[in-house]
Amino acid sequence: MAVPAGVLAAVVGAFAYVGSVNPYEPGHYPVCPLLRFTGVYCPGCGGLRSAHAFVHGDLTAALHANAPAVLAYLGFAVLWTVWVIRAARGRPVRVALGPVHLWTLGTLLLVFTVVRNLPSGGWLTP
């Protein structure tokens, strides 16, 4: 149970930091290199703003900043809960992502990246 507790402590600490240090104020966090050099939003662009809004309970702003990040937060919560339950029962955690799952995830992130950089996808930009 120590490892899941340690992971949770690290995640809570990271979210607490992002919640207290506003990513909308320049100078606190590095700029995305892809955005800086090409002007193209990567799939992670807006992730800090999304986490900041999520910590403050503004789910609409969090989804607007980076919807896949919000899904990842919720996915982490589910996986962490399963991990804790299985660890408490003395059973190992098995997350078996096959090639189909990974290709699907990669394709969805690629589509998200392309759409958010199109003029019609402006509602997905952070």
Side-chain angles (χ1 to χ4, degrees):
M1 294 297 288
V3 176
V7 169
L8 181 64
V11 170
V12 167
F15 270 82
Y17 179 78
V18 172
S20 64
V21 179
N22 192 346
Y24 288 99
E25 296 176 9
H28 295 291
Y29 301 102
V31 177
C32 172
L34 185 66
L35 181 61
R36 174 182 277 168
F37 296 121
T38 66
V40 174
Y41 293 108
C42 78
C45 281
L48 289 172
R49 284 170 258 171
S50 175
H52 182 78
F54 192 81
V55 166
H56 290 278
D58 190 352
L59 189 59
T60 304
L63 287 167
H64 176 69
N66 193 319
V70 174
L71 294 176
Y73 310 150
L74 300 175
F76 171 80
V78 169
L79 286 175
W80 185 85
T81 303
V82 169
W83 185 14
V84 167
I85 291 169
R86 291 187 66 88
R89 293 179 179 170
R91 300 175 68 194
V93 177
R94 289 187 175 84
V95 178
L97 293 177
V100 172
H101 299 106
L102 296 175
W103 278 102
T104 302
L105 180 61
T107 301
L108 289 172
L109 286 176
L110 179 64
V111 168
F112 171 72
T113 303
V114 169
V115 170
R116 80 185 316 197
N117 284 289
L118 294 173
S120 61
W123 57 279
L124 291 173
T125 59

